[in-house]
């Protein structure tokens, strides 16, 4: 099972401003100049690869969209602005010939998870079939809203592809050939459903958007399964921990909450996403450092208590991150 | 988490918590604080995680604005959280006492020494720098030799305003 994160920002696309790009380039060039003084043969590529990803590439500005692929199946989750680039890739295959069949799972219908759909080219190509899946029964209404004049010049009825809407049953597994997908409810101001993917004894959970209000096993109830027997989890960490305590009921979480769930449920790896659009790359790194400090103190306390726990490999994901299970 | 005691005293409300403050903690079970001073004893708390911190912070926000919070006998991991997370302690709160770990190089033993406000430390104020008794002599219970403070001082005492 391969997963690619096409968009890791939340709420609003956040491209790097020209001035920010200039400052980043300036910082990197200065550091490269310093590196040359100690190693005159260092190549630009080697230097850039030695930097943390947020310095060389940045976290990225596209909103939520991920792709889950197996040898038999290709599933998209959410239509944030990141779906536009994914569409360009798909157009190189059957979608470009009007013979494509696209499957899009929707977690919910907030703008940041829909905003890319009007620019997802496969929708415009006659012959393509676009399957949209959601637990909520108003997916068609939400998609049609995107293609309404005067807000968008192409009306829904003029789209070339055929749309097929599927309503999923909560917490009931659906089979996409060799891939099993189960929706579980998340904690968000409007109904929002995360997805658990299972393939060849490997499990991936997509837990975005969520505030993580319910964390105890008792509170999670039937939704606890989203976090159990999971190899990799993608979790909402829009805010720093302090911001999250201030923004109650805003619908987003912080990395320490995700870490504590992962440690308790023995999740091996966590990618934190849905970065705040107002957060610069430097600010996200500060949040990462705070999370690292938190994680260190938790590990130390647990070791001192000789408690049973599971260490977690984690990172704040950048756009374009790919991993294989 | 367990509420060891929740007692209304003459001038203050005393609350003693124990166990793990985590996602299972029930702060709603704490009676309404009717005094202007709340003293919270953390000596028997064994662990606090992010959910516990979140619930603690949310609970302190429900206190009346005139309630001052004093916390005492804080284990090191509570002080670590205070240092990492601005907002762990509500405004107008005070740390009355906390444990500082000491280490004996002679016999490889550890000890938690209770630092008390006004005796071993004082937080920074508008007109006074922070004070910490770094020279305090703490003797090992086993071999009676002087122990070493086992923290990175500028990090551990940062919440006092130590520079």
């Amino acid at each position: 099972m391969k997963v690619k994160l096409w968009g890791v920002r939340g709420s609003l696309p956040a491209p790097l401003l020209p001035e920010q790009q200039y400052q980043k380039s300036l910082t990197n060039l200065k550091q490269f100049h310093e590196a040359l003084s100690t190693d005159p043969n260092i190549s630009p590529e080697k230097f850039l690869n030695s930097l943390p990803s947020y310095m060389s590439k940045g976290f990225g500005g596209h909103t939520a969209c991920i792709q889950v692929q197996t040898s038999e199946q290709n599933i998209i989750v959410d239509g944030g602005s990141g779906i536009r680039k994914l569409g360009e890739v798909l157009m190189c295959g059957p979608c470009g010939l009007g013979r494509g069949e696209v499957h899009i799972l929707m977690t919910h219908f907030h703008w940041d998870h829909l905003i890319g759909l009007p620019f997802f080219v496969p929708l415009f190509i006659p012959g393509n079939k676009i399957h949209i899946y959601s637990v909520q029964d108003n997916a068609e209404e939400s998609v049609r809203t995107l293609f309404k004049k005067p807000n968008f010049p192409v009306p829904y009825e003029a789209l070339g592809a055929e749309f097929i809407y599927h309503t999923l049953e909560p917490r009931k597994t659906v089979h996409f050939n060799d891939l099993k997908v189960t929706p579980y409810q998340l904690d968000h101001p409007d109904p929002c459903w995360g997805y658990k993917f299972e393939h060849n004894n490997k499990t991936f959970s997509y837990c975005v958007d969520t505030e993580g209000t319910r964390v105890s096993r008792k509170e999670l109830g039937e939704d606890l399964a989203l976090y159990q027997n999971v190899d990799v989890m993608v979790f909402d960490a829009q805010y720093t921990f302090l911001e999250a305590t201030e923004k109650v009921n805003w619908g987003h979480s912080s990395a320490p909450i995700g870490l504590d769930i992962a440690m308790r449920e023995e999740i091996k790896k966590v990618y934190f996403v849905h970065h705040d659009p107002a957060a610069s790359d430097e600010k996200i790194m500060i949040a990462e450092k705070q999370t690292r400090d938190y994680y260190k103190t938790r590990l130390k306390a647990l070791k001192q208590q000789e408690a049973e726990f599971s260490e977690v490999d984690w990172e704040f994901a950048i756009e374009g991150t790919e991993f294989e299970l | 988490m367990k509420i060891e005691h929740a007692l209304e005293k003459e001038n203050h409300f005393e609350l003693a918590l124990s166990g793990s403050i985590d996602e299972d903690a029930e702060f709603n079970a704490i009676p309404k604080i009717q005094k202007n001073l709340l003293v919270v004893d953390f000596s028997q708390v064994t662990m606090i995680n992010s959910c516990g911190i979140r619930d603690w912070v949310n609970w302190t926000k429900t206190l009346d604005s005139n309630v001052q919070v004093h916390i005492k006998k804080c284990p090191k991991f509570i002080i670590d959280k205070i240092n990492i997370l601005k907002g762990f302690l509500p405004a107008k709160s005070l740390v009355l006492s906390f444990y500082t770990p000491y280490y004996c190089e002679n016999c490889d033993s550890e000890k938690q020494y209770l630092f008390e406000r006004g005796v071993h430390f004082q937080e920074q104020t508008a007109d006074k720098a922070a004070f910490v008794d770094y020279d305090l002599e703490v003797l090992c219970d086993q071999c009676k030799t002087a122990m070493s403070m086992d923290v990175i001082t500028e990090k551990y005492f940062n919440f006092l305003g130590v520079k």
Side-chain angles (χ1 to χ4, degrees):
Chain A
M1 184 171 21
K2 283 186 198 170
V3 179
K4 182 163 181 174
L5 310 181
W6 288 90
V8 298
R9 283 279 174 179
S11 302
L12 191 71
L16 214 53
L17 300 175
E19 181 55 34
Q20 289 173 315
Q21 180 61 62
Y22 176 82
Q23 290 301 330
K24 196 186 265 312
S25 299
L26 189 60
T27 303
N28 287 344
L29 283 169
K30 281 181 181 173
Q31 289 187 0
F32 181 55
H33 188 72
E34 278 172 29
L36 280 172
S37 65
T38 49
D39 181 2
N41 295 320
I42 189 170
S43 69
E45 291 84 0
K46 191 174 175 188
F47 167 73
L48 283 177
N49 290 334
S50 71
L51 295 177
S53 297
Y54 87 97
M55 281 299 297
S56 55
K57 300 175 188 174
F59 281 95
H62 279 305
T63 65
C65 176
I66 72 164
Q67 182 185 18
V68 182
Q69 276 184 293
T70 65
S71 56
E72 295 179 30
Q73 200 52 263
N74 192 358
I75 305 279
I76 300 170
V77 184
D78 286 338
S81 64
I83 204 174
R84 186 184 69 80
K85 292 294 280 182
L86 170 51
E88 285 180 3
V89 171
L90 293 177
M91 286 298 291
C92 297
C95 283
L97 302 170
R99 293 204 288 264
E101 199 151 358
V102 178
H103 302 272
I104 306 177
L105 294 169
M106 296 300 299
T107 57
H108 65 305
F109 303 112
H110 286 164
W111 288 126
D112 53 332
H113 294 250
L114 284 172
I115 202 171
L117 286 177
F119 303 93
F120 183 57
V121 178
L123 301 188
F124 295 83
I125 309 301
N128 284 339
K129 288 188 177 155
I130 311 296
H131 298 264
I132 297 191
Y133 304 82
S134 63
V135 174
Q136 304 89 327
D137 61 7
N138 56 341
E140 183 171 352
E141 182 192 331
S142 292
V143 173
R144 281 179 175 270
T145 300
L146 294 168
F147 298 94
K148 248 185 204 170
K149 283 178 171 290
N151 302 107
F152 195 72
V154 180
Y156 182 82
E157 292 74 18
L159 295 175
E162 179 189 354
F163 283 78
I164 304 121
Y165 294 92
H166 308 264
T167 303
L168 302 175
E169 226 178 293
R171 307 173 191 95
K172 190 161 176 199
T173 301
V174 178
H175 292 258
F176 291 88
N177 293 334
D178 58 350
L179 187 60
K180 293 197 290 188
V181 183
T182 314
Y184 292 96
Q185 191 154 27
L186 298 170
D187 303 320
H188 205 52
D190 290 295
C192 184
W193 294 80
Y195 293 99
K196 186 172 182 177
F197 297 84
E198 296 170 87
H199 174 258
N200 278 356
N201 295 320
K202 292 289 184 182
T203 305
F204 161 61
S205 274
Y206 187 64
C207 310
V208 180
D209 295 0
T210 189
E211 189 163 341
T213 321
R214 298 172 300 149
V215 177
S216 74
R217 287 177 169 162
K218 188 179 165 190
E219 286 171 325
L220 281 165
E222 296 173 285
D223 298 314
L224 175 62
L226 179 61
Y227 304 105
Q228 293 187 312
N229 302 313
V230 170
D231 296 290
V232 181
M233 174 170 77
V234 169
F235 192 82
D236 182 331
Q238 177 146 347
Y239 301 131
T240 63
F241 187 64
L242 183 60
E243 284 171 344
T245 62
E246 291 165 350
K247 296 180 177 181
V248 176
N249 295 327
W250 283 48
H252 300 291
S253 193
S254 66
I257 300 286
L259 271 181
D260 280 326
I261 293 172
M263 289 171 82
R264 187 187 71 203
E265 302 300 337
E266 299 181 342
I267 297 171
K268 300 178 186 63
K269 171 93 188 195
V270 182
Y271 291 92
F272 293 112
V273 298
H274 214 270
H275 309 308
D276 195 53
S280 64
D281 290 341
E282 289 69 28
K283 194 182 169 206
I284 297 171
M285 281 318 295
I286 291 171
E288 205 226 41
K289 187 190 174 305
Q290 291 173 346
T291 305
R292 204 160 294 284
D293 289 341
Y294 171 79
Y295 184 59
K296 269 189 210 164
T297 59
R298 283 282 287 133
L299 283 185
K300 198 169 176 187
L302 286 165
K303 280 174 185 167
Q304 279 172 349
Q305 290 160 18
E306 295 177 4
E308 276 196 31
F309 67 94
S310 188
E311 288 199 45
V312 178
D313 183 18
W314 59 271
E315 63 185 84
F316 278 53
I318 69 166
E319 184 177 304
T321 294
E322 291 182 78
F323 52 89
E324 194 166 342
L325 293 87
Chain B
M1 179 185 88
K2 213 174 140 198
I3 301 169
E4 286 294 324
H5 62 253
L7 302 169
E8 193 162 302
K9 304 250 179 168
E10 191 181 335
N11 296 317
H12 67 280
F13 192 97
E14 183 145 323
L15 178 66
L17 304 173
S18 67
S20 295
I21 304 181
D22 57 20
E23 55 268 25
D24 295 315
E26 290 187 11
F27 281 89
N28 292 337
I30 299 172
K32 185 166 167 57
I33 311 299
Q34 308 270 25
K35 295 286 180 183
N36 285 345
L37 175 60
L38 165 66
V39 179
V40 185
D41 183 335
F42 278 98
S43 60
Q44 296 177 79
V45 171
T46 54
M47 183 269 275
I48 186 166
N49 71 1
S50 61
C51 304
I53 295 168
R54 178 172 68 180
D55 289 348
W56 156 260
V57 169
N58 286 339
W59 177 74
T60 59
K61 286 179 183 172
T62 67
L63 300 172
D64 283 344
S65 55
N66 55 330
V67 173
Q68 198 173 16
V69 178
H70 290 179
I71 64 175
K72 67 180 188 182
K73 298 182 184 175
C74 303
K76 180 178 180 292
F77 58 82
I78 294 288
I79 298 300
D80 287 341
K81 299 300 182 293
I82 292 172
N83 281 319
I84 293 170
L85 301 159
K86 302 283 178 275
F88 181 91
L89 289 177
K92 296 189 291 183
S93 56
L94 274 180
V95 175
L96 297 181
S97 58
F98 60 93
Y99 289 96
T100 298
Y102 278 79
Y103 172 70
C104 176
E105 287 177 26
N106 201 36
C107 52
D108 199 29
S109 64
E110 294 174 354
K111 185 173 176 173
Q112 301 290 328
Y113 194 90
L114 187 67
F115 271 41
E116 295 184 277
R117 185 172 180 269
V119 177
H120 307 106
F121 74 90
Q122 190 73 42
E123 66 282 343
Q124 182 183 7
T125 59
D127 49 3
K128 254 190 180 170
F131 159 73
V132 175
D133 190 358
Y134 297 112
D135 298 325
L136 177 70
E137 189 176 62
V138 175
L139 298 179
C140 174
D141 292 338
Q142 291 173 31
C143 67
K144 307 301 176 195
T145 54
M147 302 179 87
S148 309
M149 193 184 275
D150 196 15
V151 292
I152 301 172
T153 54
E154 56 270 21
K155 275 180 93 171
Y156 194 61
F157 300 112
N158 181 259
F159 74 100
L160 297 171
V162 160
K163 293 197 173 35

